[in-house]
Each structure stands twice: as structure tokens, then as C-alpha cells.
Short mmCIF file of all heavy atoms in Angstrom, two decimals:
data_model
loop_
_atom_site.label_atom_id
_atom_site.label_comp_id
_atom_site.label_asym_id
_atom_site.label_seq_id
_atom_site.Cartn_x
_atom_site.Cartn_y
_atom_site.Cartn_z
N LEU A 19 6.02 -272.86 -53.96
CA LEU A 19 7.10 -271.95 -53.59
C LEU A 19 7.60 -271.22 -54.82
O LEU A 19 7.86 -271.84 -55.87
CB LEU A 19 8.24 -272.73 -52.95
CG LEU A 19 9.50 -271.93 -52.65
CD1 LEU A 19 9.25 -270.93 -51.54
CD2 LEU A 19 10.65 -272.87 -52.28
N VAL A 20 7.79 -269.92 -54.69
CA VAL A 20 8.39 -269.12 -55.76
C VAL A 20 9.83 -268.79 -55.40
O VAL A 20 10.75 -269.04 -56.17
CB VAL A 20 7.60 -267.83 -56.00
CG1 VAL A 20 8.27 -266.98 -57.08
CG2 VAL A 20 6.15 -268.14 -56.39
N ALA A 21 10.02 -268.22 -54.23
CA ALA A 21 11.36 -267.85 -53.79
C ALA A 21 11.34 -267.73 -52.27
O ALA A 21 10.34 -267.33 -51.68
CB ALA A 21 11.80 -266.53 -54.42
N ARG A 22 12.48 -268.05 -51.68
CA ARG A 22 12.56 -268.09 -50.23
C ARG A 22 13.98 -267.68 -49.81
O ARG A 22 14.95 -267.99 -50.49
CB ARG A 22 12.25 -269.52 -49.77
CG ARG A 22 12.37 -269.82 -48.31
CD ARG A 22 11.91 -271.27 -48.09
NE ARG A 22 12.10 -271.69 -46.73
CZ ARG A 22 13.15 -272.37 -46.28
NH1 ARG A 22 14.10 -272.70 -47.12
NH2 ARG A 22 13.22 -272.72 -45.02
N MET A 23 14.06 -266.97 -48.69
CA MET A 23 15.35 -266.59 -48.14
C MET A 23 15.40 -266.97 -46.68
O MET A 23 14.51 -266.59 -45.90
CB MET A 23 15.59 -265.08 -48.31
CG MET A 23 16.93 -264.63 -47.77
SD MET A 23 17.23 -262.86 -47.99
CE MET A 23 17.58 -262.80 -49.75
N THR A 24 16.42 -267.71 -46.29
CA THR A 24 16.54 -268.13 -44.90
C THR A 24 17.11 -267.01 -44.04
O THR A 24 17.56 -265.98 -44.54
CB THR A 24 17.45 -269.36 -44.77
OG1 THR A 24 18.79 -268.96 -45.13
CG2 THR A 24 16.99 -270.49 -45.68
N TYR A 25 17.11 -267.25 -42.75
CA TYR A 25 17.64 -266.26 -41.81
C TYR A 25 19.07 -265.86 -42.20
O TYR A 25 19.46 -264.70 -42.13
CB TYR A 25 17.62 -266.83 -40.40
CG TYR A 25 18.18 -265.89 -39.36
CD1 TYR A 25 17.36 -264.95 -38.75
CD2 TYR A 25 19.52 -265.95 -38.98
CE1 TYR A 25 17.85 -264.08 -37.79
CE2 TYR A 25 20.02 -265.08 -38.04
CZ TYR A 25 19.20 -264.15 -37.44
OH TYR A 25 19.69 -263.28 -36.50
N ASP A 26 19.86 -266.86 -42.64
CA ASP A 26 21.25 -266.63 -42.98
C ASP A 26 21.45 -266.03 -44.36
O ASP A 26 22.58 -265.76 -44.76
CB ASP A 26 22.04 -267.94 -42.90
CG ASP A 26 22.13 -268.45 -41.48
OD1 ASP A 26 22.09 -267.63 -40.55
OD2 ASP A 26 22.26 -269.68 -41.30
N GLY A 27 20.37 -265.86 -45.09
CA GLY A 27 20.48 -265.25 -46.41
C GLY A 27 20.55 -266.21 -47.57
O GLY A 27 20.69 -265.79 -48.72
N ASN A 28 20.45 -267.49 -47.30
CA ASN A 28 20.43 -268.45 -48.39
C ASN A 28 19.09 -268.38 -49.13
O ASN A 28 18.05 -268.17 -48.50
CB ASN A 28 20.65 -269.87 -47.87
CG ASN A 28 22.01 -270.03 -47.24
OD1 ASN A 28 23.02 -269.63 -47.81
ND2 ASN A 28 22.06 -270.61 -46.05
N THR A 29 19.15 -268.55 -50.43
CA THR A 29 17.93 -268.42 -51.22
C THR A 29 17.68 -269.68 -52.05
O THR A 29 18.61 -270.41 -52.39
CB THR A 29 18.00 -267.23 -52.18
OG1 THR A 29 19.12 -267.40 -53.05
CG2 THR A 29 18.16 -265.93 -51.41
N ASN A 30 16.43 -269.90 -52.35
CA ASN A 30 16.09 -270.90 -53.35
C ASN A 30 14.87 -270.42 -54.13
O ASN A 30 14.04 -269.68 -53.60
CB ASN A 30 15.89 -272.30 -52.76
CG ASN A 30 14.83 -272.36 -51.71
OD1 ASN A 30 14.97 -271.76 -50.65
ND2 ASN A 30 13.76 -273.08 -51.97
N TYR A 31 14.85 -270.83 -55.37
CA TYR A 31 13.84 -270.36 -56.32
C TYR A 31 13.20 -271.52 -57.05
O TYR A 31 13.83 -272.55 -57.30
CB TYR A 31 14.48 -269.46 -57.38
CG TYR A 31 15.02 -268.15 -56.90
CD1 TYR A 31 16.32 -268.05 -56.41
CD2 TYR A 31 14.24 -267.00 -56.93
CE1 TYR A 31 16.83 -266.84 -55.97
CE2 TYR A 31 14.74 -265.78 -56.50
CZ TYR A 31 16.03 -265.71 -56.02
OH TYR A 31 16.52 -264.50 -55.59
N LYS A 32 11.97 -271.32 -57.43
CA LYS A 32 11.31 -272.24 -58.36
C LYS A 32 12.10 -272.17 -59.68
O LYS A 32 12.50 -271.08 -60.10
CB LYS A 32 9.86 -271.81 -58.58
CG LYS A 32 9.08 -272.65 -59.57
CD LYS A 32 7.67 -272.15 -59.69
CE LYS A 32 6.93 -272.89 -60.78
NZ LYS A 32 6.87 -274.35 -60.54
N ASP A 33 12.30 -273.31 -60.29
CA ASP A 33 13.14 -273.35 -61.49
C ASP A 33 12.67 -272.38 -62.57
O ASP A 33 13.48 -271.72 -63.22
CB ASP A 33 13.18 -274.77 -62.07
CG ASP A 33 14.08 -275.69 -61.27
OD1 ASP A 33 14.88 -275.20 -60.45
OD2 ASP A 33 14.00 -276.92 -61.47
N SER A 34 11.38 -272.28 -62.76
CA SER A 34 10.87 -271.49 -63.88
C SER A 34 11.04 -269.98 -63.68
O SER A 34 10.83 -269.21 -64.62
CB SER A 34 9.40 -271.81 -64.13
OG SER A 34 8.61 -271.43 -63.03
N VAL A 35 11.40 -269.55 -62.48
CA VAL A 35 11.58 -268.11 -62.25
C VAL A 35 13.05 -267.73 -62.10
O VAL A 35 13.36 -266.54 -62.01
CB VAL A 35 10.78 -267.62 -61.03
CG1 VAL A 35 9.32 -268.05 -61.13
CG2 VAL A 35 11.40 -268.06 -59.71
N LYS A 36 13.92 -268.71 -62.08
CA LYS A 36 15.36 -268.41 -61.94
C LYS A 36 15.82 -267.53 -63.09
O LYS A 36 15.50 -267.78 -64.26
CB LYS A 36 16.15 -269.71 -61.91
CG LYS A 36 15.99 -270.50 -60.63
CD LYS A 36 16.80 -271.80 -60.67
CE LYS A 36 16.61 -272.59 -59.39
NZ LYS A 36 17.33 -273.88 -59.42
N GLY A 37 16.58 -266.51 -62.74
CA GLY A 37 17.06 -265.58 -63.75
C GLY A 37 16.10 -264.45 -64.07
O GLY A 37 16.47 -263.48 -64.72
N ARG A 38 14.85 -264.59 -63.61
CA ARG A 38 13.86 -263.53 -63.85
C ARG A 38 13.41 -262.86 -62.55
O ARG A 38 13.13 -261.66 -62.54
CB ARG A 38 12.62 -264.12 -64.54
CG ARG A 38 12.88 -264.75 -65.89
CD ARG A 38 11.59 -265.11 -66.60
NE ARG A 38 10.81 -266.12 -65.88
CZ ARG A 38 9.55 -265.95 -65.46
NH1 ARG A 38 8.94 -264.80 -65.66
NH2 ARG A 38 8.92 -266.93 -64.84
N PHE A 39 13.32 -263.64 -61.48
CA PHE A 39 12.86 -263.11 -60.19
C PHE A 39 14.04 -263.01 -59.23
O PHE A 39 14.97 -263.82 -59.27
CB PHE A 39 11.82 -264.04 -59.57
CG PHE A 39 10.50 -264.07 -60.28
CD1 PHE A 39 10.31 -263.50 -61.53
CD2 PHE A 39 9.41 -264.70 -59.67
CE1 PHE A 39 9.09 -263.55 -62.17
CE2 PHE A 39 8.17 -264.74 -60.30
CZ PHE A 39 8.03 -264.17 -61.55
N ASN A 40 13.95 -262.03 -58.34
CA ASN A 40 14.99 -261.88 -57.33
C ASN A 40 14.35 -261.54 -55.98
O ASN A 40 13.55 -260.60 -55.89
CB ASN A 40 15.97 -260.77 -57.71
CG ASN A 40 17.09 -260.66 -56.72
OD1 ASN A 40 17.93 -261.54 -56.62
ND2 ASN A 40 17.11 -259.58 -55.95
N ILE A 41 14.70 -262.30 -54.97
CA ILE A 41 14.19 -262.04 -53.63
C ILE A 41 15.24 -261.28 -52.84
O ILE A 41 16.44 -261.55 -52.95
CB ILE A 41 13.79 -263.35 -52.92
CG1 ILE A 41 13.07 -263.07 -51.62
CG2 ILE A 41 14.99 -264.27 -52.70
CD1 ILE A 41 12.41 -264.29 -50.98
N SER A 42 14.79 -260.33 -52.06
CA SER A 42 15.69 -259.56 -51.21
C SER A 42 14.96 -259.19 -49.92
O SER A 42 13.75 -259.42 -49.80
CB SER A 42 16.19 -258.31 -51.93
OG SER A 42 15.10 -257.46 -52.27
N ARG A 43 15.68 -258.60 -49.00
CA ARG A 43 15.04 -258.23 -47.73
C ARG A 43 15.74 -257.01 -47.16
O ARG A 43 16.82 -256.62 -47.60
CB ARG A 43 15.10 -259.39 -46.75
CG ARG A 43 16.52 -259.69 -46.28
CD ARG A 43 16.56 -260.90 -45.37
NE ARG A 43 17.92 -261.21 -44.96
CZ ARG A 43 18.26 -262.35 -44.39
NH1 ARG A 43 17.35 -263.29 -44.14
NH2 ARG A 43 19.51 -262.56 -44.04
N ASN A 44 15.13 -256.45 -46.14
CA ASN A 44 15.78 -255.34 -45.46
C ASN A 44 16.75 -255.89 -44.40
O ASN A 44 16.74 -257.08 -44.07
CB ASN A 44 14.75 -254.38 -44.86
CG ASN A 44 13.94 -255.00 -43.73
OD1 ASN A 44 13.99 -256.21 -43.51
ND2 ASN A 44 13.19 -254.18 -43.04
N ARG A 45 17.56 -255.00 -43.86
CA ARG A 45 18.59 -255.44 -42.93
C ARG A 45 17.98 -256.01 -41.65
O ARG A 45 18.52 -256.92 -41.05
CB ARG A 45 19.51 -254.26 -42.60
CG ARG A 45 20.65 -254.62 -41.67
CD ARG A 45 21.62 -253.48 -41.53
NE ARG A 45 22.36 -253.25 -42.75
CZ ARG A 45 23.36 -252.39 -42.86
NH1 ARG A 45 23.72 -251.66 -41.82
NH2 ARG A 45 24.00 -252.23 -43.99
N ALA A 46 16.86 -255.49 -41.24
CA ALA A 46 16.23 -255.93 -40.00
C ALA A 46 15.50 -257.26 -40.15
O ALA A 46 15.00 -257.81 -39.16
CB ALA A 46 15.25 -254.87 -39.51
N ARG A 47 15.45 -257.78 -41.38
CA ARG A 47 14.74 -259.04 -41.64
C ARG A 47 13.26 -258.93 -41.30
O ARG A 47 12.63 -259.90 -40.87
CB ARG A 47 15.37 -260.22 -40.90
CG ARG A 47 16.82 -260.48 -41.24
CD ARG A 47 17.32 -261.73 -40.52
NE ARG A 47 18.69 -262.06 -40.80
CZ ARG A 47 19.72 -261.63 -40.07
NH1 ARG A 47 19.50 -260.85 -39.03
NH2 ARG A 47 20.95 -261.99 -40.38
N THR A 48 12.69 -257.76 -41.49
CA THR A 48 11.27 -257.57 -41.24
C THR A 48 10.49 -257.29 -42.51
O THR A 48 9.28 -257.06 -42.47
CB THR A 48 11.03 -256.42 -40.25
OG1 THR A 48 11.63 -255.23 -40.79
CG2 THR A 48 11.63 -256.74 -38.89
N ALA A 49 11.17 -257.26 -43.63
CA ALA A 49 10.51 -257.04 -44.91
C ALA A 49 11.20 -257.87 -45.97
O ALA A 49 12.42 -258.06 -45.93
CB ALA A 49 10.52 -255.58 -45.31
N VAL A 50 10.42 -258.36 -46.88
CA VAL A 50 10.98 -259.14 -47.99
C VAL A 50 10.35 -258.64 -49.28
O VAL A 50 9.19 -258.18 -49.28
CB VAL A 50 10.72 -260.66 -47.78
CG1 VAL A 50 9.24 -260.99 -47.84
CG2 VAL A 50 11.51 -261.49 -48.75
N TYR A 51 11.14 -258.69 -50.33
CA TYR A 51 10.72 -258.15 -51.60
C TYR A 51 10.90 -259.21 -52.70
O TYR A 51 11.78 -260.07 -52.60
CB TYR A 51 11.54 -256.91 -51.95
CG TYR A 51 11.61 -255.92 -50.83
CD1 TYR A 51 12.72 -255.89 -49.98
CD2 TYR A 51 10.56 -255.05 -50.57
CE1 TYR A 51 12.78 -255.02 -48.92
CE2 TYR A 51 10.62 -254.16 -49.51
CZ TYR A 51 11.74 -254.14 -48.69
OH TYR A 51 11.78 -253.27 -47.64
N LEU A 52 10.09 -259.10 -53.72
CA LEU A 52 10.25 -259.98 -54.88
C LEU A 52 10.22 -259.12 -56.13
O LEU A 52 9.17 -258.58 -56.49
CB LEU A 52 9.15 -261.04 -54.92
CG LEU A 52 9.31 -262.10 -56.00
CD1 LEU A 52 10.53 -262.98 -55.69
CD2 LEU A 52 8.07 -262.97 -56.11
N GLN A 53 11.37 -258.99 -56.74
CA GLN A 53 11.45 -258.29 -58.02
C GLN A 53 11.20 -259.29 -59.13
O GLN A 53 11.93 -260.28 -59.25
CB GLN A 53 12.83 -257.64 -58.19
CG GLN A 53 13.03 -256.95 -59.52
CD GLN A 53 12.13 -255.73 -59.68
OE1 GLN A 53 11.94 -254.97 -58.74
NE2 GLN A 53 11.58 -255.55 -60.88
N MET A 54 10.18 -259.05 -59.91
CA MET A 54 9.78 -259.99 -60.97
C MET A 54 9.96 -259.30 -62.32
O MET A 54 9.29 -258.31 -62.60
CB MET A 54 8.33 -260.42 -60.78
CG MET A 54 8.05 -261.00 -59.40
SD MET A 54 6.38 -261.65 -59.24
CE MET A 54 5.43 -260.13 -59.32
N ASN A 55 10.87 -259.83 -63.10
CA ASN A 55 11.16 -259.27 -64.42
C ASN A 55 10.74 -260.24 -65.51
O ASN A 55 10.61 -261.44 -65.28
CB ASN A 55 12.66 -258.97 -64.54
CG ASN A 55 13.13 -257.97 -63.53
OD1 ASN A 55 12.44 -257.01 -63.19
ND2 ASN A 55 14.34 -258.18 -63.02
N ASN A 56 10.56 -259.69 -66.69
CA ASN A 56 10.20 -260.52 -67.84
C ASN A 56 9.04 -261.46 -67.50
O ASN A 56 9.12 -262.68 -67.71
CB ASN A 56 11.41 -261.31 -68.32
CG ASN A 56 11.15 -262.02 -69.64
OD1 ASN A 56 10.27 -261.63 -70.41
ND2 ASN A 56 11.91 -263.08 -69.89
N LEU A 57 7.99 -260.88 -66.98
CA LEU A 57 6.85 -261.69 -66.54
C LEU A 57 6.20 -262.42 -67.71
O LEU A 57 6.12 -261.90 -68.83
CB LEU A 57 5.83 -260.81 -65.82
CG LEU A 57 6.22 -260.47 -64.39
CD1 LEU A 57 5.49 -259.23 -63.89
CD2 LEU A 57 5.95 -261.65 -63.47
#
């Protein structure tokens, strides 16, 4: 697991990516994105 977002919007991340990666989604909950910084 790298990052996950529940239906309610709760997130969890693999420890090694915290602070560098960000998960987000669209309002319809039909798309999810992973912004990966400082790879």
C-alpha cells in the first residue's frame, strides 16, 4: 500500500511516503490522484 482514501475521505499512507505523496480524488469519487514529490 502506498496511499488510500476511504469513502469518507480518511487517508492513510505508507510511512516512507508521508510528507512527499498526497492522495486526492474528484468530487464524484470516480477518480483518484497521487501527487508524488521529491521522488
Side-chain angles (χ1 to χ4, degrees):
L19 173 68
V20 177
R22 176 176 175 264
M23 181 179 285
T24 67
Y25 179 87
D26 293 332
N28 296 312
T29 59
N30 57 295
Y31 293 88
K32 178 179 174 59
D33 284 346
S34 65
V35 308
K36 288 179 181 177
R38 299 189 297 122
F39 290 12
N40 183 69
I41 189 169
S42 61
R43 68 183 178 193
N44 66 349
R45 182 173 291 186
R47 301 184 179 92
T48 57
V50 67
Y51 311 98
L52 186 67
Q53 177 66 41
M54 305 186 292
N55 299 323
N56 189 23
L57 282 159

